[in-house]
């Protein structure tokens, strides 16, 4: 009976109840959609980092990442790569030569990271081969081809078939030069990456610097699943204890921080919404109690005990929050689901996003754990919001309340 009375009381003032329910729904909907939006943005950035920049796992000599020294190479890298490709859970693997040096055009020069790859293997490890917007990804057998990013092409003022010169130190620390022809221009929608990374054939770069046969500076591994990365890294480390084996989280800890920061930010945002909701419901329920002083006094006078009055006020508050919460969660989920398959177009600010490595087209990702937590928090908020108004109602003296007009 108390539940039925409380539900009818909620709708005695339809306008006020509708306003508070609408405000609750709007806040919860905004919170869920924002969480899905930023989760999608973070997941896309991480996926891009893995597929275009890092791969899941990398292997180096222990000092290579700190020194970038040409002599810190893995002598038998191609043999190790062949063994790794046979391991269960490995989608692809490829060895690379990695050198930080200079590239020059007729117009200017720039510092770049030169990666020597075996195209047939690298096309399965990273997605640069499908990011080509002009030309092709090592389309023929001609020597000294180079693939550069669109930002670097703009900086050097070069286009397809332009010649560029790479300046390098060989294994004997002698300065050497190589003339390469631009055969492909890629665009990963990450301007920072596109401006400093170029790709050449392993064989061309190896012969230019006199690297020993079968050697490489880096072995990149793509796992069959994201969940199996840590286990796979452990197995690779067991097979190659003298080498440094790092997962993408260790290679780029800012990616893990990005995910954690997004989660914390979203919970802070939702808690702020719920705090605003808390004070809104307290205000509403206080108004309800003050408007019904005489009615509450009459109920106490005819024998309704304080526990039932407390439960009635509590249930009214919970009904307000739960109704708004359900509407808000439903709307938030529906909107977020829509944008899981229909990208949110941020291309008007695309340059700002690509400068930071983010996609200008964002797909939302729903976190169902967050939604469950939001529902629980809404319920807790409704209970807390009812406590003070219910306390005020119980302080009423029946004889005094009955004389109230």
């Amino acid at each position: 009976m108390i539940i039925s009375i409380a539900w009818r009381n909620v709708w005695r003032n339809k306008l006020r109840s509708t306003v508070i329910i609408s405000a609750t729904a709007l806040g919860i909907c905004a919170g869920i959609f924002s969480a899905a939006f930023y989760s999608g943005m973070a997941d896309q950035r991480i996926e891009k980092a893995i597929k275009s920049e890092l791969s899941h796992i990398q292997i180096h000599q222990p000092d290579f990442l700190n020194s970038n020294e040409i002599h810190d190479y893995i002598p038998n890298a191609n043999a190790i790569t062949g063994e790794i490709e046979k391991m269960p859970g490995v989608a692809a693997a490829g060895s690379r030569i990695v050198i930080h040096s200079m590239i020059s055009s007729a117009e200017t020069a720039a510092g770049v990271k030169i990666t020597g790859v075996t195209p047939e293997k690298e096309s399965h490890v990273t997605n640069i081969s499908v990011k080509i917007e002009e030309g092709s990804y090592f389309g023929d057998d001609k020597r000294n081809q180079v693939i550069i990013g669109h930002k670097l092409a703009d900086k050097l003022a070069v286009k397809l078939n332009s010649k560029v010169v790479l300046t390098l130190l060989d294994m004997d620390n002698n300065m050497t030069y190589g003339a390469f022809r631009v055969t492909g221009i890629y665009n990963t929608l990450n301007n920072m990456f596109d401006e400093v990374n170029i790709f050449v054939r392993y064989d061309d770069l190896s012969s230019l610097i006199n690297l020993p046969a079968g050697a490489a500076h880096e072995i990149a591994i793509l796992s069959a699943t994201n969940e199996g990365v840590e286990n796979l890294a452990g197995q690779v480390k067991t097979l190659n204890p003298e080498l440094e084996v790092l997962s993408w989280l260790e290679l780029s800890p800012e990616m893990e921080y990005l995910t954690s920061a997004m989660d914390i930010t979203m919970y802070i945002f939702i808690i702020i919404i719920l705090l605003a909701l808390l004070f809104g419901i307290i205000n509403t329920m206080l108004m309800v109690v003050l408007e019904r002083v005489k009615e509450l006094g009459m109920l106490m006078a005819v024998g309704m005990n304080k526990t039932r009055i407390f439960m009635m006020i509590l249930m009214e508050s919970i009904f307000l929050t739960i109704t708004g919460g359900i509407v808000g969660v439903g709307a938030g989920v529906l909107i977020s689901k829509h944008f899981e398959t229909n990208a949110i177009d941020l291309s008007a600010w695309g340059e700002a996003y690509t400068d930071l490595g983010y996609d200008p087209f964002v797909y939302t990702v729903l976190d169902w754990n967050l939604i469950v937590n939001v529902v629980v928090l809404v319920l807790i908020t409704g209970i807390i919001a009812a406590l003070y108004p219910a306390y005020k109602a119980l302080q009423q003296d029946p004889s005094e309340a009955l004389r109230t007009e």
Side-chain angles (χ1 to χ4, degrees), residues 318-393:
I318 290 174
F319 281 143
L320 282 172
T321 52
I322 288 297
T323 303
I326 290 173
V327 173
V329 168
V333 168
L334 288 175
I335 295 171
S336 299
K337 275 291 184 182
H338 172 76
F339 287 110
E340 278 187 351
T341 53
N342 299 274
I344 301 169
D345 186 358
L346 304 175
S347 56
W349 304 276
E351 192 72 17
Y353 281 98
T354 52
D355 281 344
L356 296 172
Y358 292 95
D359 266 314
F361 299 94
V362 178
Y363 294 89
T364 55
V365 174
L366 274 172
D367 183 348
W368 292 103
N369 287 331
L370 176 68
I371 292 172
V372 171
N373 291 339
V374 167
V375 172
V376 172
L377 288 172
V378 167
L379 179 60
I380 293 172
T381 301
I383 293 172
I384 294 173
L387 296 179
Y388 183 67
Y391 170 77
K392 291 291 289 183

Side-chain angles (χ1 to χ4, degrees), residues 20 24 270-286 317 321 377-389:
I20 195 67
T24 303
I270 288 171
I271 287 172
I272 290 172
I273 291 172
L274 292 175
L275 283 174
L277 169 64
L278 176 68
F279 289 109
I281 294 176
I282 289 174
N283 181 60
T284 299
M285 294 310 298
L286 278 175
S317 176
T321 52
L377 288 172
V378 167
L379 179 60
I380 293 172
T381 301
I383 293 172
I384 294 173
L387 296 179
Y388 183 67

